[in-house]
């Protein structure tokens, strides 16, 4: 009896571990629908995060509380080779946007992609949005993966409300602090996390020909507004926050020479050309670096500038639009300067720097560590690769298996404890 009790307790512990592992894996692979206020009036940018580059087709619903007019949709990649549509329907008093995309290449080359700008007829708060019941994705072989209850993240800002100005910097908040920089009249604005910059700051600064410096602490933007600004009438504010990213395919295409990968919160044209000062480390002081723009629509890195890292380790990056950028220590865009000795052929043009899909790039090798025996709960590799139809196993299978194992183990243990109290049963 004691031996059976120990065995059943071990089975229960393994079941719990397997279930927890399955749930963790399930959460990590779930894609996320993102709607982010773009800064233009009543407009959200639609993107997908944690979305495998294996997928070339996808369909999902976005549900909006109440009746909403058909929105205006501007696709980021409007190639006629793509099928992409957002249809609007009414269901139970709510408005349902059905997003359907089918391409001949990965939708998200780097597991994250901005799909479209969606402009509504009125301002919609974050609480008005929810996701549909499932997301269906297909790979190039038409193998299907279904995600139940996909995640959605909505980031909105009710800019036009007079009592909602705490996170929006306006001209009246900053206009009284001009200084001199290099003989130029300059305005330095301290921007804190979560704050955005009203378009009127740029318009007023341009009237005075100011050098506008936005100081974010670790990094800063510098705009020469004396050269003029161009701001769409619908643009209310700009979000100049910058995040460091780390995509395997971007590292691979520059042969692991990337000093930094960056993504700006604002992904369209800037109000005027600016310089982003970003720290790449004092060990790079004086080094030559190369700035490239990640053109996701064409899946390539486009050369932008050659620069020299300053003595304090800052890279001064000239930018005219937001997006994803790579700073590398090697130049992959120049033609050879000379013809090789003995060659009768002219220098060949260097091919485009094409970025492969993220899921086709092998992660850099890590130092070897002593091998540990696999836990008794490990599933065979084939159990993680496909379902009964030859496609990828749906994300809900692992949690279901773990829950069933947990149920069986718990039931067996409960039965053992009950039977141990019965003096008429001897084992």
């Amino acid at each position: 009896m004691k031996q059976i009790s120990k065995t059943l307790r071990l089975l229960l512990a393994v079941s719990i571990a397997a279930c927890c592992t399955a749930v963790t894996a399930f959460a990590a692979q779930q894609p996320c629908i993102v709607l982010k206020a773009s800064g233009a009036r009543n407009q959200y940018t639609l993107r997908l995060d944690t979305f495998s580059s294996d997928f070339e087709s996808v369909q999902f619903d976005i549900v909006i509380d109440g009746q909403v007019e058909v929105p205006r949709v501007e696709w980021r990649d409007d190639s006629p080779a793509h099928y992409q549509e957002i249809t609007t329907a009414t269901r139970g008093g709510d408005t349902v946007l059905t997003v359907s995309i089918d391409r001949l290449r990965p939708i998200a080359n780097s597991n994250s992609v901005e799909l479209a700008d969606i402009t509504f007829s009125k301002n919609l708060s974050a609480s008005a949005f929810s996701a549909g019941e499932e997301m269906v994705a297909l790979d190039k072989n038409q193998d299907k993966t279904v995600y139940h209850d996909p995640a959605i993240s909505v980031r909105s800002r009710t800019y036009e409300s007079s009592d909602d100005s705490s996170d929006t910097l306006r001209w009246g908040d900053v206009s009284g602090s001009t200084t001199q920089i290099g003989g130029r009249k300059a305005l330095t604005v301290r921007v804190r996390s979560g704050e955005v910059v009203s378009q009127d700051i740029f318009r007023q600064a341009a009237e005075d020909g100011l050098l506008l410096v936005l100081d974010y602490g670790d990094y800063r933007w510098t705009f020469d507004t004396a050269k003029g600004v161009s701001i769409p009438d619908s643009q209310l504010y700009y979000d100049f926050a910058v995040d460091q990213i780390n995509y395997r395919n971007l590292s691979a295409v520059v042969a692991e020479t990337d000093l930094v990968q960056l993504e700006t919160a604002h992904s369209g044209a800037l109000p005027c050309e600016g310089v982003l000062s970003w720290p790449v480390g004092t060990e790079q002081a004086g080094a030559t670096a190369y700035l490239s723009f990640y053109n996701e629509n064409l899946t390539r890195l486009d050369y932008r500038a050659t620069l020299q890292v300053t003595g304090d380790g800052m890279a001064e990056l000239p930018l005219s639009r937001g997006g994803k950028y790579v700073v590398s220590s090697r130049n992959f865009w120049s033609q050879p300067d000379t013809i090789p000795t003995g060659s009768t052929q002219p220098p060949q043009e260097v091919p485009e720097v094409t970025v492969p899909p993220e899921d086709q790039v092998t992660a850099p090798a890590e130092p070897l560590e002593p091998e540990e025996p696999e836990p008794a709960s490990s599933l065979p590799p084939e159990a993680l690769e496909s379902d009964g139809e030859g496609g990828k196993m749906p994300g809900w299978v692992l949690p279901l298996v773990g829950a069933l194992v947990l149920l069986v183990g718990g039931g067996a243990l409960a039965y053992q404890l009950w039977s141990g109290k019965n003096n008429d049963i001897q084992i």
Side-chain angles (χ1 to χ4, degrees):
M1 175 68 75
K2 291 183 178 180
Q3 183 61 37
I4 293 177
S5 175
K6 290 174 63 178
T7 301
L8 289 174
R9 286 193 178 95
L10 177 60
L11 176 60
L12 181 60
V14 170
S15 300
I16 294 173
C19 185
C20 293
T21 301
V23 170
T24 301
F26 169 73
Q29 68 181 355
Q30 277 285 91
C32 182
I33 304 164
V34 178
L35 285 168
K36 179 182 177 182
S38 69
R41 184 176 286 104
N42 303 335
Q43 187 180 88
Y44 283 90
T45 297
L46 170 65
R47 66 182 287 160
L48 289 175
D49 283 346
T50 324
F51 190 74
S52 172
S53 61
D54 288 336
F55 296 135
E56 297 186 355
S57 302
V58 69
Q59 185 175 83
F60 57 89
D61 289 341
I62 298 173
V63 182
I64 306 172
D65 292 342
Q67 301 286 329
V68 177
E69 295 181 12
V70 176
R72 186 176 76 251
V73 179
E74 299 172 77
W75 294 97
R76 288 298 176 86
D77 185 356
D78 58 358
S79 169
H82 305 324
Y83 169 78
Q84 42 197 15
E85 183 180 27
I86 298 180
T87 59
T88 305
T90 302
R91 187 186 304 162
D94 292 333
T95 302
V96 180
L97 305 182
T98 299
V99 182
S100 304
I101 300 174
D102 187 17
R103 299 182 179 178
L104 299 178
R105 60 170 175 79
I107 294 174
N109 201 55
S110 294
N111 298 163
S112 176
V113 63
E114 292 187 344
L115 298 171
D117 290 325
I118 306 176
T119 305
F120 297 94
S121 59
K122 62 181 180 180
N123 182 60
L124 296 173
S125 64
S127 61
F129 296 93
S130 60
E133 294 181 355
E134 63 181 29
M135 173 187 290
V136 180
L138 304 176
D139 64 17
K140 64 181 179 181
N141 299 317
Q142 298 300 295
D143 288 334
K144 180 170 67 174
T145 300
V146 179
Y147 297 99
H148 296 275
D149 299 319
I152 186 169
S153 173
V154 185
R155 307 161 195 171
S156 66
R157 179 175 276 105
T158 53
Y159 175 89
E160 293 176 300
S161 173
S162 60
D163 59 354
D164 186 52
S165 59
S166 60
D167 59 356
T168 303
L169 296 173
R170 294 179 169 82
W171 179 249
D173 302 324
V174 302
S175 58
S177 53
T178 57
T179 57
Q180 292 287 323
I181 298 180
R184 291 282 307 279
K185 190 176 181 181
L187 174 64
T188 299
V189 179
R190 179 71 172 94
V191 186
R192 293 173 174 78
S193 177
E195 290 182 330
V196 296
V197 180
S198 173
Q199 49 78 28
D200 72 327
I201 289 181
F202 279 88
R203 296 187 190 278
Q204 294 294 331
E207 287 187 8
D208 296 336
L210 298 179
L211 200 63
L212 179 61
V213 181
L214 303 179
D215 183 3
Y216 283 77
D218 294 335
Y219 61 93
R220 66 182 180 275
W221 289 88
T222 303
F223 297 95
D224 188 354
T225 65
K227 297 179 180 180
V229 300
S230 177
I231 301 175
D233 292 338
S234 62
Q235 195 72 33
L236 303 175
Y237 61 84
Y238 291 90
D239 187 349
F240 291 109
V242 182
D243 288 323
Q244 191 163 327
I245 57 178
N246 184 27
Y247 291 129
R248 293 195 308 271
N249 55 351
L250 295 184
S251 291
V253 80
V254 295
E256 312 295 333
T257 66
D258 47 318
L259 301 179
V260 70
Q261 301 175 21
L262 301 173
E263 181 176 13
T264 62
H266 180 75
S267 56
L270 300 177
C272 63
E273 292 189 5
V275 175
L276 172 62
S277 302
W278 188 273
V280 295
T282 53
E283 68 278 6
Q284 301 293 337
T288 300
Y290 304 90
L291 173 67
S292 58
F293 170 71
Y294 182 19
N295 189 328
E296 294 186 85
N297 293 341
L298 299 178
T299 63
R300 72 188 189 196
L301 284 181
D302 293 337
Y303 171 82
R304 284 293 181 266
T306 299
L307 53 106
Q308 192 171 44
V309 180
T310 64
D312 57 354
M314 301 293 288
E316 307 288 342
L317 312 177
L319 305 180
S320 59
R321 64 174 295 112
K324 297 183 177 77
Y325 288 87
V326 177
V327 180
S328 62
S329 60
R330 279 180 54 187
N331 182 6
F332 294 86
W333 298 271
S334 296
Q335 296 184 21
D337 294 328
T338 59
I339 300 175
T341 304
S343 173
T344 59
Q345 299 295 324
Q348 300 296 311
E349 291 186 4
V350 174
E352 292 181 349
V353 181
T354 303
V355 181
E358 178 86 355
D359 292 306
Q360 294 181 13
V361 177
T362 304
E366 297 182 356
L368 294 178
E369 297 182 358
E371 294 186 1
E372 297 182 1
E374 295 187 1
S377 60
S378 293
L379 296 174
E382 59 270 19
L384 300 176
E385 293 176 356
S386 64
D387 58 18
E389 300 177 355
K392 290 193 173 182
M393 182 175 60
W396 51 266
V397 172
L398 283 176
L400 178 60
V401 171
L404 289 175
V405 173
L406 180 59
L407 182 62
V408 171
L413 180 57
Y415 175 78
Q416 185 271 331
L417 293 174
W418 172 81
S419 62
K421 296 179 180 179
N422 192 337
N423 294 328
D424 294 334
I425 298 177
Q426 299 295 328
I427 297 180

